[in-house]
Amino acid sequence: MARRRQAVTIRHVAADVGVSLQTVSRVINNEPNVRPELKERVQEAITRLGYVPSIAAQRMSGSRSYLILALNDRDRTIADWRARQGTDWVDQMLLGGMLKCAEHGYRMIVELVDTHSDHVERELLAAIAALQPDGIILTPPHSDNPQIVRCLAEQQIPFARIGSKARDAGMPILMDDEGAAATATRYLVDHGHRRIGFIAGAAEYNLSGWRVDGWKLAMAEAGLPTDGLLHAGDFSYASGERAARALLALPEPPTAIIASSDQMALATLEVARQNGLAVPRDLSLVSFDNTPMMQFTQPPLTAIDQPIAATASKAVELIIAAQKGDHLPEAVTVIPASLVARGSVADARQTVSA
């Protein structure tokens, strides 16, 4: 039987060049204070020996772990995965975060934490002790959980807060939820709609309120009423169904609805069909998230495209910059969202004139 080939380690490289393990680690991490000639010899040995640097080797040159930990909401993430309904928040977060980490020799790990748990601080400290991350990415609703924020501040670990405006600790990053909701509303106003309903997301997420603010702002700019046109959901299909039924049962129902998640938009589409309403002829519909399924509904849904990947990428950038002691932005970092127009919005003026 063939003998298994022994793996090449950092010790083999150091012995081949005749330098210390720390010197090889500094070359791997592209750190200063290594002579160009020596750096070239180490790199040549790494290539010739076929050495693949490990995280342990990277850490030899200092206290960094080259790990970034992303915390996601346990209950909602597991529910989405089990439902298999096409939500892709985690996918997009991994896309942006992992690619940016790879550019800088880092790895990203995702942990699921229950933000409502009495033991959230203990869970978090256990993860930090086990992984020793160089930084942490908080996603909503963790981003504004005072227990989590205080714990990380006390640990003096750089952390980015996606979906937070707070400047008390960490590095806040917004996807401009208020501006995105205003954009969606103005788009409908520009298409002649005057009664525009809004289905809000879960109240525990600050971004839900910001989206409502954006809708109200754009409606006020156009001189349009909002009374009775706001209904609360929790991002789920069932809550969207309830809200859509309530809106469409109004004596003067809306001619357009903005749903604060794709699941609630799908529910609204189905309720409209059950009520004998055609989208977009009788009801225009705009969604948030722009998950892949929005392209394949009938009709394809116009949606706000949340820049989740770009936001996760920026979070990684900020954490690495903080680790290096680089200058960090004083203002909240804003990653703008965009509207993807498809086939679910009609021109209300043409509908009326017809």
Side-chain angles (χ1 to χ4, degrees), residues 103-145:
E103 287 181 24
H104 297 273
Y106 278 71
R107 300 290 186 273
M108 190 166 89
I109 295 177
V110 176
E111 285 277 326
L112 302 182
V113 174
D114 182 3
T115 195
H116 303 298
S117 171
D118 294 335
H119 310 298
V120 64
E121 188 169 345
R122 189 171 66 193
E123 284 186 47
L124 184 54
L125 290 175
I128 291 171
L131 299 171
Q132 299 181 27
D134 285 344
I136 292 177
I137 299 173
L138 298 181
T139 62
H142 299 324
S143 309
D144 283 319
N145 181 310

mmCIF file of all heavy atoms in Angstrom, residues 103-145:
data_model
loop_
_atom_site.group_PDB
_atom_site.id
_atom_site.type_symbol
_atom_site.label_atom_id
_atom_site.label_comp_id
_atom_site.label_asym_id
_atom_site.label_seq_id
_atom_site.Cartn_x
_atom_site.Cartn_y
_atom_site.Cartn_z
ATOM 1 N N GLU A 103 -9.593 38.080 0.209
ATOM 2 C CA GLU A 103 -8.655 39.077 -0.333
ATOM 3 C C GLU A 103 -7.552 39.416 0.661
ATOM 4 O O GLU A 103 -6.438 39.780 0.274
ATOM 5 C CB GLU A 103 -9.401 40.363 -0.701
ATOM 6 C CG GLU A 103 -10.256 40.273 -1.942
ATOM 7 C CD GLU A 103 -10.932 41.601 -2.238
ATOM 8 O OE1 GLU A 103 -10.395 42.653 -1.789
ATOM 9 O OE2 GLU A 103 -11.979 41.600 -2.902
ATOM 10 N N HIS A 104 -7.876 39.314 1.957
ATOM 11 C CA HIS A 104 -6.930 39.742 3.002
ATOM 12 C C HIS A 104 -6.394 38.579 3.831
ATOM 13 O O HIS A 104 -5.790 38.788 4.881
ATOM 14 C CB HIS A 104 -7.634 40.752 3.928
ATOM 15 C CG HIS A 104 -8.044 42.009 3.250
ATOM 16 N ND1 HIS A 104 -7.207 43.098 3.121
ATOM 17 C CD2 HIS A 104 -9.209 42.358 2.630
ATOM 18 C CE1 HIS A 104 -7.838 44.063 2.469
ATOM 19 N NE2 HIS A 104 -9.047 43.648 2.159
ATOM 20 N N GLY A 105 -6.607 37.342 3.356
ATOM 21 C CA GLY A 105 -6.083 36.197 4.075
ATOM 22 C C GLY A 105 -6.869 35.829 5.327
ATOM 23 O O GLY A 105 -6.330 35.175 6.228
ATOM 24 N N TYR A 106 -8.121 36.241 5.396
ATOM 25 C CA TYR A 106 -8.980 35.949 6.549
ATOM 26 C C TYR A 106 -9.960 34.834 6.214
ATOM 27 O O TYR A 106 -10.132 34.455 5.059
ATOM 28 C CB TYR A 106 -9.773 37.196 6.965
ATOM 29 C CG TYR A 106 -9.009 38.167 7.840
ATOM 30 C CD1 TYR A 106 -7.977 38.940 7.326
ATOM 31 C CD2 TYR A 106 -9.329 38.313 9.183
ATOM 32 C CE1 TYR A 106 -7.280 39.832 8.124
ATOM 33 C CE2 TYR A 106 -8.642 39.208 9.996
ATOM 34 C CZ TYR A 106 -7.621 39.966 9.466
ATOM 35 O OH TYR A 106 -6.942 40.846 10.255
ATOM 36 N N ARG A 107 -10.621 34.327 7.241
ATOM 37 C CA ARG A 107 -11.724 33.384 7.099
ATOM 38 C C ARG A 107 -12.934 33.959 7.837
ATOM 39 O O ARG A 107 -12.781 34.656 8.827
ATOM 40 C CB ARG A 107 -11.387 32.011 7.697
ATOM 41 C CG ARG A 107 -10.181 31.324 7.069
ATOM 42 C CD ARG A 107 -10.454 30.857 5.650
ATOM 43 N NE ARG A 107 -9.351 30.078 5.108
ATOM 44 C CZ ARG A 107 -8.303 30.590 4.481
ATOM 45 N NH1 ARG A 107 -8.216 31.904 4.343
ATOM 46 N NH2 ARG A 107 -7.353 29.820 3.992
ATOM 47 N N MET A 108 -14.129 33.626 7.358
ATOM 48 C CA MET A 108 -15.343 34.076 8.037
ATOM 49 C C MET A 108 -16.139 32.878 8.520
ATOM 50 O O MET A 108 -16.319 31.897 7.789
ATOM 51 C CB MET A 108 -16.216 34.937 7.126
ATOM 52 C CG MET A 108 -17.345 35.616 7.892
ATOM 53 S SD MET A 108 -18.155 36.932 6.956
ATOM 54 C CE MET A 108 -19.419 35.991 6.131
ATOM 55 N N ILE A 109 -16.604 32.960 9.750
ATOM 56 C CA ILE A 109 -17.409 31.915 10.361
ATOM 57 C C ILE A 109 -18.732 32.533 10.804
ATOM 58 O O ILE A 109 -18.768 33.649 11.324
ATOM 59 C CB ILE A 109 -16.682 31.291 11.567
ATOM 60 C CG1 ILE A 109 -15.416 30.572 11.110
ATOM 61 C CG2 ILE A 109 -17.597 30.328 12.327
ATOM 62 C CD1 ILE A 109 -14.600 30.003 12.238
ATOM 63 N N VAL A 110 -19.836 31.801 10.592
ATOM 64 C CA VAL A 110 -21.158 32.279 11.002
ATOM 65 C C VAL A 110 -21.625 31.493 12.213
ATOM 66 O O VAL A 110 -21.556 30.266 12.246
ATOM 67 C CB VAL A 110 -22.186 32.125 9.855
ATOM 68 C CG1 VAL A 110 -23.576 32.535 10.332
ATOM 69 C CG2 VAL A 110 -21.771 32.964 8.653
ATOM 70 N N GLU A 111 -22.076 32.223 13.229
ATOM 71 C CA GLU A 111 -22.679 31.617 14.409
ATOM 72 C C GLU A 111 -24.110 32.115 14.528
ATOM 73 O O GLU A 111 -24.404 33.289 14.231
ATOM 74 C CB GLU A 111 -21.904 32.013 15.678
ATOM 75 C CG GLU A 111 -20.585 31.301 15.854
ATOM 76 C CD GLU A 111 -20.752 29.922 16.482
ATOM 77 O OE1 GLU A 111 -21.656 29.743 17.316
ATOM 78 O OE2 GLU A 111 -19.962 29.030 16.131
ATOM 79 N N LEU A 112 -25.012 31.251 14.960
ATOM 80 C CA LEU A 112 -26.403 31.634 15.176
ATOM 81 C C LEU A 112 -26.619 31.867 16.667
ATOM 82 O O LEU A 112 -26.339 30.985 17.488
ATOM 83 C CB LEU A 112 -27.347 30.542 14.673
ATOM 84 C CG LEU A 112 -27.206 30.170 13.194
ATOM 85 C CD1 LEU A 112 -28.239 29.112 12.815
ATOM 86 C CD2 LEU A 112 -27.348 31.396 12.298
ATOM 87 N N VAL A 113 -27.119 33.046 17.005
ATOM 88 C CA VAL A 113 -27.325 33.425 18.402
ATOM 89 C C VAL A 113 -28.754 33.898 18.581
ATOM 90 O O VAL A 113 -29.283 34.641 17.739
ATOM 91 C CB VAL A 113 -26.331 34.540 18.820
ATOM 92 C CG1 VAL A 113 -26.630 35.041 20.221
ATOM 93 C CG2 VAL A 113 -24.895 34.039 18.734
ATOM 94 N N ASP A 114 -29.382 33.484 19.664
ATOM 95 C CA ASP A 114 -30.747 33.907 19.969
ATOM 96 C C ASP A 114 -30.699 35.233 20.714
ATOM 97 O O ASP A 114 -30.285 35.287 21.875
ATOM 98 C CB ASP A 114 -31.446 32.843 20.818
ATOM 99 C CG ASP A 114 -32.892 33.207 21.125
ATOM 100 O OD1 ASP A 114 -33.356 34.248 20.626
ATOM 101 O OD2 ASP A 114 -33.555 32.444 21.849
ATOM 102 N N THR A 115 -31.113 36.289 20.050
ATOM 103 C CA THR A 115 -31.002 37.620 20.651
ATOM 104 C C THR A 115 -31.921 37.783 21.859
ATOM 105 O O THR A 115 -31.722 38.666 22.679
ATOM 106 C CB THR A 115 -31.308 38.704 19.594
ATOM 107 O OG1 THR A 115 -30.866 39.978 20.080
ATOM 108 C CG2 THR A 115 -32.808 38.778 19.308
ATOM 109 N N HIS A 116 -32.943 36.929 21.991
ATOM 110 C CA HIS A 116 -33.882 37.040 23.115
ATOM 111 C C HIS A 116 -33.480 36.177 24.303
ATOM 112 O O HIS A 116 -34.105 36.241 25.354
ATOM 113 C CB HIS A 116 -35.286 36.629 22.664
ATOM 114 C CG HIS A 116 -35.796 37.427 21.503
ATOM 115 N ND1 HIS A 116 -35.998 38.781 21.567
ATOM 116 C CD2 HIS A 116 -36.127 37.062 20.243
ATOM 117 C CE1 HIS A 116 -36.441 39.214 20.404
ATOM 118 N NE2 HIS A 116 -36.523 38.194 19.577
ATOM 119 N N SER A 117 -32.445 35.374 24.145
ATOM 120 C CA SER A 117 -32.056 34.445 25.201
ATOM 121 C C SER A 117 -31.488 35.181 26.412
ATOM 122 O O SER A 117 -30.753 36.170 26.281
ATOM 123 C CB SER A 117 -31.013 33.457 24.666
ATOM 124 O OG SER A 117 -30.472 32.696 25.717
ATOM 125 N N ASP A 118 -31.815 34.663 27.607
ATOM 126 C CA ASP A 118 -31.231 35.212 28.834
ATOM 127 C C ASP A 118 -29.742 34.897 28.901
ATOM 128 O O ASP A 118 -29.012 35.507 29.689
ATOM 129 C CB ASP A 118 -31.937 34.619 30.062
ATOM 130 C CG ASP A 118 -33.399 35.039 30.154
ATOM 131 O OD1 ASP A 118 -33.728 36.114 29.594
ATOM 132 O OD2 ASP A 118 -34.192 34.307 30.764
ATOM 133 N N HIS A 119 -29.324 33.939 28.091
ATOM 134 C CA HIS A 119 -27.925 33.494 28.130
ATOM 135 C C HIS A 119 -27.124 34.007 26.930
ATOM 136 O O HIS A 119 -26.081 33.456 26.610
ATOM 137 C CB HIS A 119 -27.864 31.967 28.166
ATOM 138 C CG HIS A 119 -28.739 31.348 29.204
ATOM 139 N ND1 HIS A 119 -28.576 31.580 30.553
ATOM 140 C CD2 HIS A 119 -29.814 30.525 29.092
ATOM 141 C CE1 HIS A 119 -29.492 30.909 31.235
ATOM 142 N NE2 HIS A 119 -30.258 30.266 30.372
ATOM 143 N N VAL A 120 -27.619 35.049 26.265
ATOM 144 C CA VAL A 120 -26.964 35.507 25.040
ATOM 145 C C VAL A 120 -25.522 35.933 25.299
ATOM 146 O O VAL A 120 -24.631 35.654 24.498
ATOM 147 C CB VAL A 120 -27.771 36.652 24.380
ATOM 148 C CG1 VAL A 120 -27.828 37.886 25.271
ATOM 149 C CG2 VAL A 120 -27.185 37.009 23.018
ATOM 150 N N GLU A 121 -25.277 36.582 26.437
ATOM 151 C CA GLU A 121 -23.914 37.026 26.735
ATOM 152 C C GLU A 121 -22.997 35.831 26.966
ATOM 153 O O GLU A 121 -21.855 35.809 26.501
ATOM 154 C CB GLU A 121 -23.920 37.944 27.958
ATOM 155 C CG GLU A 121 -22.574 38.610 28.215
ATOM 156 C CD GLU A 121 -22.655 39.713 29.257
ATOM 157 O OE1 GLU A 121 -23.774 40.160 29.575
ATOM 158 O OE2 GLU A 121 -21.592 40.126 29.750
ATOM 159 N N ARG A 122 -23.503 34.807 27.657
ATOM 160 C CA ARG A 122 -22.707 33.602 27.888
ATOM 161 C C ARG A 122 -22.404 32.888 26.577
ATOM 162 O O ARG A 122 -21.284 32.414 26.353
ATOM 163 C CB ARG A 122 -23.462 32.662 28.838
ATOM 164 C CG ARG A 122 -22.619 31.474 29.301
ATOM 165 C CD ARG A 122 -23.347 30.713 30.398
ATOM 166 N NE ARG A 122 -24.566 30.072 29.897
ATOM 167 C CZ ARG A 122 -25.505 29.573 30.681
ATOM 168 N NH1 ARG A 122 -25.399 29.669 31.991
ATOM 169 N NH2 ARG A 122 -26.570 28.982 30.150
ATOM 170 N N GLU A 123 -23.406 32.806 25.688
ATOM 171 C CA GLU A 123 -23.193 32.195 24.366
ATOM 172 C C GLU A 123 -22.111 32.942 23.595
ATOM 173 O O GLU A 123 -21.232 32.342 22.973
ATOM 174 C CB GLU A 123 -24.486 32.234 23.563
ATOM 175 C CG GLU A 123 -25.531 31.217 23.950
ATOM 176 C CD GLU A 123 -26.706 31.259 22.986
ATOM 177 O OE1 GLU A 123 -26.477 31.269 21.759
ATOM 178 O OE2 GLU A 123 -27.848 31.306 23.452
ATOM 179 N N LEU A 124 -22.203 34.262 23.641
ATOM 180 C CA LEU A 124 -21.269 35.091 22.889
ATOM 181 C C LEU A 124 -19.848 34.953 23.430
ATOM 182 O O LEU A 124 -18.891 34.794 22.658
ATOM 183 C CB LEU A 124 -21.727 36.548 22.938
ATOM 184 C CG LEU A 124 -20.933 37.567 22.129
ATOM 185 C CD1 LEU A 124 -20.818 37.131 20.678
ATOM 186 C CD2 LEU A 124 -21.593 38.934 22.227
ATOM 187 N N LEU A 125 -19.694 34.992 24.744
ATOM 188 C CA LEU A 125 -18.367 34.870 25.346
ATOM 189 C C LEU A 125 -17.762 33.493 25.077
ATOM 190 O O LEU A 125 -16.548 33.369 24.886
ATOM 191 C CB LEU A 125 -18.447 35.137 26.849
ATOM 192 C CG LEU A 125 -18.725 36.588 27.248
ATOM 193 C CD1 LEU A 125 -18.914 36.707 28.753
ATOM 194 C CD2 LEU A 125 -17.594 37.507 26.783
ATOM 195 N N ALA A 126 -18.605 32.463 25.029
ATOM 196 C CA ALA A 126 -18.106 31.120 24.727
ATOM 197 C C ALA A 126 -17.578 31.049 23.298
ATOM 198 O O ALA A 126 -16.532 30.446 23.035
ATOM 199 C CB ALA A 126 -19.220 30.096 24.932
ATOM 200 N N ALA A 127 -18.306 31.675 22.361
ATOM 201 C CA ALA A 127 -17.857 31.693 20.963
ATOM 202 C C ALA A 127 -16.556 32.471 20.821
ATOM 203 O O ALA A 127 -15.641 32.063 20.097
ATOM 204 C CB ALA A 127 -18.938 32.296 20.083
ATOM 205 N N ILE A 128 -16.457 33.581 21.527
ATOM 206 C CA ILE A 128 -15.234 34.392 21.463
ATOM 207 C C ILE A 128 -14.052 33.625 22.029
ATOM 208 O O ILE A 128 -12.947 33.629 21.467
ATOM 209 C CB ILE A 128 -15.436 35.722 22.225
ATOM 210 C CG1 ILE A 128 -16.436 36.609 21.478
ATOM 211 C CG2 ILE A 128 -14.114 36.451 22.409
ATOM 212 C CD1 ILE A 128 -16.866 37.839 22.249
ATOM 213 N N ALA A 129 -14.265 32.936 23.157
ATOM 214 C CA ALA A 129 -13.179 32.172 23.778
ATOM 215 C C ALA A 129 -12.716 31.036 22.875
ATOM 216 O O ALA A 129 -11.518 30.749 22.777
ATOM 217 C CB ALA A 129 -13.648 31.623 25.125
ATOM 218 N N ALA A 130 -13.664 30.392 22.195
ATOM 219 C CA ALA A 130 -13.314 29.250 21.354
ATOM 220 C C ALA A 130 -12.636 29.675 20.054
ATOM 221 O O ALA A 130 -11.696 29.024 19.592
ATOM 222 C CB ALA A 130 -14.579 28.446 21.041
ATOM 223 N N LEU A 131 -13.106 30.765 19.455
ATOM 224 C CA LEU A 131 -12.642 31.155 18.120
ATOM 225 C C LEU A 131 -11.605 32.277 18.141
ATOM 226 O O LEU A 131 -10.835 32.423 17.201
ATOM 227 C CB LEU A 131 -13.837 31.584 17.266
ATOM 228 C CG LEU A 131 -14.904 30.511 17.044
ATOM 229 C CD1 LEU A 131 -16.141 31.110 16.380
ATOM 230 C CD2 LEU A 131 -14.347 29.380 16.189
ATOM 231 N N GLN A 132 -11.635 33.098 19.191
ATOM 232 C CA GLN A 132 -10.741 34.255 19.304
ATOM 233 C C GLN A 132 -10.744 35.083 18.013
ATOM 234 O O GLN A 132 -9.698 35.322 17.402
ATOM 235 C CB GLN A 132 -9.328 33.801 19.636
ATOM 236 C CG GLN A 132 -9.237 33.062 20.961
ATOM 237 C CD GLN A 132 -7.820 32.633 21.299
ATOM 238 O OE1 GLN A 132 -6.852 33.242 20.871
ATOM 239 N NE2 GLN A 132 -7.707 31.566 22.078
ATOM 240 N N PRO A 133 -11.915 35.526 17.565
ATOM 241 C CA PRO A 133 -11.984 36.260 16.298
ATOM 242 C C PRO A 133 -11.311 37.624 16.383
ATOM 243 O O PRO A 133 -11.232 38.231 17.456
ATOM 244 C CB PRO A 133 -13.502 36.415 16.080
ATOM 245 C CG PRO A 133 -14.070 36.426 17.467
ATOM 246 C CD PRO A 133 -13.223 35.458 18.248
ATOM 247 N N ASP A 134 -10.838 38.083 15.238
ATOM 248 C CA ASP A 134 -10.259 39.427 15.158
ATOM 249 C C ASP A 134 -11.342 40.497 15.115
ATOM 250 O O ASP A 134 -11.069 41.671 15.346
ATOM 251 C CB ASP A 134 -9.388 39.557 13.906
ATOM 252 C CG ASP A 134 -8.059 38.843 14.072
ATOM 253 O OD1 ASP A 134 -7.696 38.528 15.221
ATOM 254 O OD2 ASP A 134 -7.396 38.581 13.054
ATOM 255 N N GLY A 135 -12.553 40.097 14.776
ATOM 256 C CA GLY A 135 -13.654 41.050 14.713
ATOM 257 C C GLY A 135 -14.965 40.309 14.561
ATOM 258 O O GLY A 135 -14.991 39.120 14.238
ATOM 259 N N ILE A 136 -16.053 41.035 14.801
ATOM 260 C CA ILE A 136 -17.377 40.417 14.759
ATOM 261 C C ILE A 136 -18.326 41.292 13.946
ATOM 262 O O ILE A 136 -18.304 42.518 14.049
ATOM 263 C CB ILE A 136 -17.924 40.207 16.186
ATOM 264 C CG1 ILE A 136 -17.087 39.141 16.905
ATOM 265 C CG2 ILE A 136 -19.394 39.806 16.177
ATOM 266 C CD1 ILE A 136 -17.483 38.888 18.345
ATOM 267 N N ILE A 137 -19.140 40.635 13.122
ATOM 268 C CA ILE A 137 -20.182 41.322 12.361
ATOM 269 C C ILE A 137 -21.520 41.009 13.010
ATOM 270 O O ILE A 137 -21.901 39.837 13.146
ATOM 271 C CB ILE A 137 -20.207 40.867 10.888
ATOM 272 C CG1 ILE A 137 -18.873 41.178 10.204
ATOM 273 C CG2 ILE A 137 -21.349 41.529 10.138
ATOM 274 C CD1 ILE A 137 -18.755 40.606 8.801
ATOM 275 N N LEU A 138 -22.224 42.051 13.423
ATOM 276 C CA LEU A 138 -23.562 41.894 13.984
ATOM 277 C C LEU A 138 -24.595 42.195 12.906
ATOM 278 O O LEU A 138 -24.487 43.190 12.195
ATOM 279 C CB LEU A 138 -23.777 42.849 15.157
ATOM 280 C CG LEU A 138 -22.864 42.677 16.378
ATOM 281 C CD1 LEU A 138 -23.235 43.692 17.447
ATOM 282 C CD2 LEU A 138 -22.954 41.257 16.923
ATOM 283 N N THR A 139 -25.582 41.322 12.773
ATOM 284 C CA THR A 139 -26.684 41.554 11.853
ATOM 285 C C THR A 139 -27.950 41.815 12.668
ATOM 286 O O THR A 139 -28.025 41.454 13.838
ATOM 287 C CB THR A 139 -26.892 40.351 10.922
ATOM 288 O OG1 THR A 139 -27.233 39.204 11.716
ATOM 289 C CG2 THR A 139 -25.616 40.051 10.133
ATOM 290 N N PRO A 140 -28.964 42.447 12.061
ATOM 291 C CA PRO A 140 -30.201 42.720 12.796
ATOM 292 C C PRO A 140 -30.856 41.416 13.260
ATOM 293 O O PRO A 140 -30.810 40.416 12.535
ATOM 294 C CB PRO A 140 -31.084 43.424 11.756
ATOM 295 C CG PRO A 140 -30.124 43.952 10.738
ATOM 296 C CD PRO A 140 -28.995 42.973 10.689
ATOM 297 N N PRO A 141 -31.476 41.393 14.468
ATOM 298 C CA PRO A 141 -31.614 42.496 15.421
ATOM 299 C C PRO A 141 -30.464 42.590 16.418
ATOM 300 O O PRO A 141 -30.522 43.394 17.338
ATOM 301 C CB PRO A 141 -32.917 42.147 16.144
ATOM 302 C CG PRO A 141 -32.899 40.650 16.182
ATOM 303 C CD PRO A 141 -32.263 40.204 14.892
ATOM 304 N N HIS A 142 -29.412 41.750 16.254
ATOM 305 C CA HIS A 142 -28.290 41.787 17.196
ATOM 306 C C HIS A 142 -27.595 43.151 17.220
ATOM 307 O O HIS A 142 -27.014 43.532 18.233
ATOM 308 C CB HIS A 142 -27.249 40.724 16.821
ATOM 309 C CG HIS A 142 -27.779 39.328 16.850
ATOM 310 N ND1 HIS A 142 -28.705 38.889 17.757
ATOM 311 C CD2 HIS A 142 -27.503 38.247 16.061
ATOM 312 C CE1 HIS A 142 -28.978 37.622 17.551
ATOM 313 N NE2 HIS A 142 -28.266 37.200 16.520
ATOM 314 N N SER A 143 -27.656 43.861 16.092
ATOM 315 C CA SER A 143 -26.885 45.099 15.935
ATOM 316 C C SER A 143 -27.212 46.139 16.994
ATOM 317 O O SER A 143 -26.359 46.952 17.358
ATOM 318 C CB SER A 143 -27.139 45.697 14.546
ATOM 319 O OG SER A 143 -26.944 44.730 13.552
ATOM 320 N N ASP A 144 -28.457 46.116 17.483
ATOM 321 C CA ASP A 144 -28.866 47.090 18.492
ATOM 322 C C ASP A 144 -29.292 46.413 19.793
ATOM 323 O O ASP A 144 -30.001 47.016 20.607
ATOM 324 C CB ASP A 144 -30.007 47.964 17.955
ATOM 325 C CG ASP A 144 -29.510 49.026 16.985
ATOM 326 O OD1 ASP A 144 -28.445 49.615 17.256
ATOM 327 O OD2 ASP A 144 -30.164 49.245 15.949
ATOM 328 N N ASN A 145 -28.844 45.182 19.993
ATOM 329 C CA ASN A 145 -29.095 44.510 21.265
ATOM 330 C C ASN A 145 -28.103 45.061 22.293
ATOM 331 O O ASN A 145 -26.896 44.861 22.168
ATOM 332 C CB ASN A 145 -28.908 43.000 21.104
ATOM 333 C CG ASN A 145 -29.173 42.232 22.381
ATOM 334 O OD1 ASN A 145 -28.654 42.555 23.447
ATOM 335 N ND2 ASN A 145 -29.974 41.183 22.283
#
